[in-house]
Amino acid sequence: MKRLPPPLSFSIPGVLLVFGALVLAVSLHFELAEADRRAEAAIVQRAQLLSTVLSAELEKAYRERRPNDARGIVLQASADRALRRAIMFDEDRRALETTPLGLAGQMLADTPFAADTPSLEEMRRTGSTRLRIVSRGDRLASYVPVLLRSAGELLPTRNGVLAMEFDLAPIRSEGRALVVRRAIVTAIALGAICTLLWLFFQFSLLRRVQALIAVTRQFAAGDVAARASLGGSDEMAQMSRAFNQMAEAIALSRQALVESERHATFLAEVSRRLATVFDAGAPLDAVARSAVPLLGDVCLVRVPDHGSVAVMDADRGLDAVLRTHPGSAPGGALLAALESGETQMSPPGGQRLAEALGLTRSQEPELATALDIAGSYMVVPLQARGRAVGVIAFVSADVRRYEDPRLVALAEDMAQRAALSIDNSLLYRQAQEAVRARDEFLMVASHELRTPCTSLRLAVEFLRRAGATLPPHKVEAMLDVTDRESKHLAMLVDRLLDVSRMAVAELELVLEPVDLAAITREVVIGLAGDLERTGSTVVVEADETVVGRWDRERIRQVVTILLVNAVRYGRGRPVRVRVTAVDQVARLEVIDQGIGIAPGHQARIFDRFERAVSTRHYGGLGLGLYIVRRIVEALGGTIGVTSELDVGSTFTVDLPRGLDATELAALDPESDAGGPAPGLGPRAGRASSTSPSKTSAAPTRKTAAFGCVDQALEPARGVVPQVARDQQ
């Protein structure tokens, strides 16, 4: 394992101390060498001076023949503390004068100067008069020639040598001691400097480093709020600011990651809940319960298609509203989001929530009271398949709750999933209703088609068995039944074909001048036999002529269907048919006094297969009013109904006549140019057609219920009982 360096608190002073020691050692080495050089130079200088002085005095003493003075001169030289010994050698190299005493008379070879014999011999042979200094370690020897001739002597010159030995150790010791003292002072100063530097690093650098390390460890341990607080403009302060910026970026990234994970978990949970519900109201409950408290304090979901309202707020106690509050028309921001298909946000600073969302105490007292506070809201449309199926509103008491774009994106993502789930639930419900309607239609259609077939089969079987013995009027009655039921069967098939054609293409109309009043009278007369059997009375109140440019057969079909329905559901009471015209509009009104239609069914009875009553009591395919509506709309008109239960119903058809002003003036009975309209015959005036009342009534059919008004296309029943009675 790689060995880590020591901490700065030890390494920096240690490095400084080692560096100082190295500098001190090198300096001491050179200082000592310089001290030795200076000591040797000083000894050489002293040796030169002393040798010169002594040699001159000795020569004078020998010249004046004062040998005792020569001995004193040599002994006087011993006063120099650096001089170890001094010996005066004669020409034979015998010691004449010495210091210290005891060496006189000895030969050069027996003295400490024996090692320098070659140098002395060379001086004697060459007759050199120059001073020679020889250095040997801690000793320094000087040799100076001395003339031993006395005054007046004519003999050749005799040369002696004054040898002096100096000890370098004391001088060197003094120099070295001085150097050591200076080194000690320098070391103390260097130590003080190192101490000051250590204190500087400890208080100015190391503490800042330790503070930064502590913050880093705290941040690494999970405290994302840890920040360094080093001031200044040095590198440590810059590092501190860089660390804070990095920590801030990491904290934001971590927070975004946590938020993303929480949002992903939230959306997964919402998707899981929505995937398990199929009832149209169940997704609202699931969405509202999932959104709180992550997206708001209150969640309101409204889907106009089935008028559901969902509210969820555990703190405000609105959970009961979630299940019991009836849906109402959206208003305020709810309506704006529904119409625009865009998210609606509360203005900065918040707003009164109930007022902003269009909630009134008259319609929604609990919800309006609970949200009568200041806060913020976010209304997101529930869009599926390019249309808004509803809205979802998130409400919070925090006025700045929805300023975070990530929260808005999460809400819109959730709204998209909720919209798909709600739309799927609605489609699932519609599919179930379509399957149920299909099954009931097939059952009713089978029964309706089977009824005339049964009558035909019974009539044919009766004629086959007893036709030869029957009187002519009986045979004619059976043939009438057969003809009537075959026409009825053909009419049922035609009606089914009409519905099939209307589903794939527009109606084909043959427009021509048609008198609506005349058509109405003809239909009433044509249904006289059926009216007689059902015991119903029809009163026609019509202008003499109500002419328009329409399709004759389709107009006849409209009148027939409306009249047959009025007779069927009129409970045997009189039925009134009113035909009027005002300028360019012709109006047909069919008024009965029957069972009536509930307000909740009046809008949908004009749809295909819709009914307002059960097929257990009333037959029919549930297609009549759908065909009437399609024909009237194809002619550019409108149809409506006003009804009250147990009072009766009034169906009103308004048709544009499609005539210009000249044609209207020609057809106006009060105009100067009187006379009938071309091709319409004489004016019949207002007419009233009635038929006697009968007591025969069609038996009730045991079939499944459509839950809507039976709009059968065939004439009024009563045929099958009549045939049965005839066969009996």
Side-chain angles (χ1 to χ4, degrees):
M1 185 177 66
K2 185 177 180 180
R3 189 170 183 179
L4 298 177
L8 293 178
S9 58
F10 297 101
S11 61
I12 292 179
V15 169
L16 292 175
L17 288 175
V18 170
F19 176 76
L22 290 175
V23 171
L24 184 61
V26 173
S27 175
L28 182 62
H29 171 74
F30 286 105
E31 288 282 341
L32 291 175
E34 181 65 18
D36 291 343
R37 188 189 66 78
R38 286 196 299 268
E40 186 175 353
I43 291 297
V44 169
Q45 186 177 4
R46 289 172 64 180
Q48 290 177 346
L49 178 62
L50 187 60
S51 296
T52 302
V53 173
L54 289 180
S55 63
E57 290 180 355
L58 286 175
E59 286 182 351
K60 181 178 181 182
Y62 282 118
R63 191 169 53 248
E64 296 176 357
R65 296 182 180 183
R66 290 183 284 120
N68 293 330
D69 293 341
R71 186 178 301 110
I73 293 171
V74 173
L75 291 175
Q76 185 181 356
S78 63
D80 192 336
R81 58 184 182 89
L83 182 65
R84 180 179 296 181
R85 62 181 57 86
I87 299 177
M88 180 62 194
F89 292 99
D90 61 9
E91 60 182 359
D92 296 328
R93 304 294 181 258
R94 184 184 301 276
L96 296 178
E97 308 296 340
T98 65
T99 181
L101 298 177
L103 296 177
Q106 293 185 1
M107 296 301 293
L108 175 63
D110 297 330
T111 63
F113 298 100
D116 297 329
T117 300
S119 298
L120 295 177
E121 289 296 331
E122 183 179 0
M123 292 178 63
R124 186 184 65 81
R125 186 177 61 250
T126 59
S128 175
T129 60
R130 297 178 59 185
L131 175 67
R132 176 172 294 187
I133 296 177
V134 179
S135 177
R136 297 184 182 277
D138 288 340
R139 62 182 286 271
L140 187 145
S142 68
Y143 301 95
V144 59
V146 178
L147 294 178
L148 301 179
R149 185 181 57 184
S150 303
E153 290 185 1
L154 300 176
L155 293 176
T157 302
R158 295 181 298 163
N159 292 329
V161 176
L162 177 61
M164 290 183 294
E165 183 182 16
F166 294 90
D167 190 2
L168 298 178
I171 302 300
R172 286 180 176 176
S173 298
E174 291 178 0
R176 290 193 175 193
L178 181 61
V179 170
V180 169
R181 285 195 297 272
R182 287 202 301 265
I184 292 174
V185 173
T186 304
I188 293 173
L190 184 61
I193 293 174
C194 290
T195 302
L196 292 177
L197 288 176
W198 180 83
L199 291 175
F200 170 77
F201 279 109
Q202 180 69 26
F203 291 97
S204 177
L205 178 63
L206 293 181
R207 285 192 177 184
R208 293 164 68 86
V209 173
Q210 291 171 357
L212 188 59
I213 292 174
V215 172
T216 305
R217 290 176 176 174
Q218 186 179 359
F219 186 84
D223 186 5
V224 295
R227 296 293 183 272
S229 59
L230 301 181
S233 58
D234 58 349
E235 289 78 3
M236 292 301 300
Q238 296 176 7
M239 187 181 300
S240 173
R241 288 190 290 269
F243 171 80
N244 290 341
Q245 294 175 358
M246 180 193 69
E248 189 69 24
I250 294 176
L252 292 177
S253 300
R254 182 174 181 179
Q255 182 180 2
L257 180 60
V258 172
E259 288 292 329
S260 298
E261 291 179 354
R262 185 171 64 163
H263 292 175
T265 303
F266 168 73
L267 292 176
E269 178 64 18
V270 170
S271 299
R272 185 190 65 80
R273 291 187 181 185
L274 294 177
T276 58
V277 295
F278 295 96
D279 179 55
L284 307 184
D285 192 352
V287 170
R289 292 182 182 276
S290 301
V292 176
L294 179 60
L295 294 177
D297 301 329
V298 179
C299 178
L300 170 64
V301 184
R302 182 161 297 177
V303 181
D305 282 355
H306 52 80
S308 298
V309 174
V311 177
M312 180 65 188
D313 186 356
D315 295 333
R316 298 185 179 278
L318 297 177
D319 189 54
V321 181
L322 176 65
R323 296 182 294 273
T324 61
H325 190 279
S328 59
L334 301 178
L335 181 60
L338 186 63
E339 292 179 345
S340 65
E342 298 179 353
T343 302
Q344 303 294 317
M345 307 290 295
S346 58
Q351 196 175 6
R352 301 298 295 184
L353 297 176
E355 179 182 356
L357 298 177
L359 305 176
T360 60
R361 295 181 182 272
S362 59
Q363 294 182 348
E364 301 165 299
E366 301 91 349
L367 188 58
T369 302
L371 297 183
D372 190 18
I373 59 174
S376 60
Y377 64 84
M378 174 174 54
V379 183
V380 184
L382 301 174
Q383 292 184 324
R385 295 184 296 151
R387 64 186 183 89
V389 299
V391 292
I392 178 170
F394 306 99
V395 177
S396 175
D398 184 2
V399 296
R400 305 187 63 181
R401 177 71 176 273
Y402 302 112
E403 294 180 0
D404 187 357
R406 294 175 298 179
L407 194 64
V408 177
L410 177 64
E412 291 178 345
D413 195 350
M414 173 191 174
Q416 183 179 6
R417 297 168 188 248
L420 291 177
S421 177
I422 293 172
D423 188 59
N424 289 338
S425 299
L426 294 176
L427 292 176
Y428 179 73
R429 184 181 67 177
Q430 294 173 3
Q432 285 184 319
E433 293 175 353
V435 170
R436 183 168 57 251
R438 180 202 63 186
D439 294 339
E440 292 184 357
F441 170 74
L442 291 177
M443 181 178 61
V444 173
S446 299
H447 183 79
E448 293 296 326
L449 293 174
R450 184 182 180 86
T451 298
C453 291
T454 302
S455 300
L456 288 173
R457 186 177 60 80
L458 292 176
V460 171
E461 186 68 22
F462 183 77
L463 289 174
R464 179 182 296 174
R465 292 182 180 180
T469 60
L470 287 177
H473 69 279
K474 289 289 186 180
V475 175
E476 184 178 0
M478 289 296 99
L479 293 176
D480 290 340
V481 171
T482 303
D483 181 65
R484 184 169 60 251
E485 294 302 322
S486 62
K487 290 180 180 179
H488 174 55
L489 183 61
M491 184 177 59
L492 289 176
V493 174
D494 289 340
R495 297 300 181 266
L496 293 176
L497 290 175
D498 282 342
V499 173
S500 300
R501 293 191 190 99
M502 292 175 184
V504 297
E506 295 293 333
L507 289 175
E508 295 183 2
L509 302 176
V510 180
L511 301 180
E512 58 179 329
V514 177
D515 187 354
L516 179 58
I519 293 294
T520 303
R521 297 188 189 96
E522 292 174 6
V523 171
V524 173
I525 293 173
L527 296 177
D530 294 328
L531 295 174
E532 182 179 355
R533 282 189 296 273
T534 58
S536 299
T537 300
V538 177
V539 177
V540 178
E541 300 176 0
D543 294 341
E544 294 181 0
T545 57
V546 179
V547 179
R549 193 173 298 279
W550 304 306
D551 187 309
R552 183 179 299 275
E553 292 304 319
R554 294 301 183 183
I555 289 295
R556 186 185 304 275
Q557 193 174 1
V558 169
V559 176
T560 301
I561 293 173
L562 294 177
L563 187 57
V564 169
N565 279 348
V567 172
R568 172 175 297 162
Y569 301 111
R571 298 187 295 191
R573 298 177 182 176
V575 176
R576 289 191 302 153
V577 180
R578 184 182 300 132
V579 182
T580 57
V582 179
D583 295 333
Q584 282 279 9
V585 177
R587 170 168 292 185
L588 171 66
E589 295 179 287
V590 180
I591 306 168
D592 66 65
Q593 304 177 36
I595 61 175
I597 305 171
H601 299 314
Q602 293 178 12
R604 64 183 181 86
I605 58 175
F606 296 100
D607 294 334
R608 186 169 50 179
F609 307 135
E610 293 292 345
R611 313 169 68 90
V613 292
S614 172
T615 55
R616 295 177 179 272
H617 304 93
Y618 298 93
L621 301 176
L623 296 173
L625 290 179
Y626 170 72
I627 294 177
V628 169
R629 179 177 66 82
R630 293 296 301 272
I631 293 174
V632 171
E633 290 176 351
L635 293 172
T638 59
I639 182 171
V641 61
T642 57
S643 181
E644 186 177 350
L645 288 176
D646 296 327
V647 176
S649 303
T650 300
F651 286 87
T652 303
V653 176
D654 289 331
L655 294 172
R657 299 173 69 178
L659 302 175
D660 56 24
T662 304
E663 292 174 323
L664 288 175
L667 296 173
D668 191 351
E670 298 180 359
S671 64
D672 296 334
L680 296 178
R683 301 174 188 267
R686 299 182 65 87
S688 174
S689 301
T690 61
S691 61
S693 176
K694 297 289 184 179
T695 58
S696 61
T700 59
R701 294 175 173 82
K702 304 296 184 180
T703 59
F706 271 117
C708 58
V709 177
D710 179 18
Q711 305 299 337
L713 304 178
E714 70 278 7
R717 291 290 180 262
V719 177
V720 176
Q722 184 66 37
V723 173
R725 285 194 297 272
D726 291 341
Q727 291 176 345
Q728 293 175 355

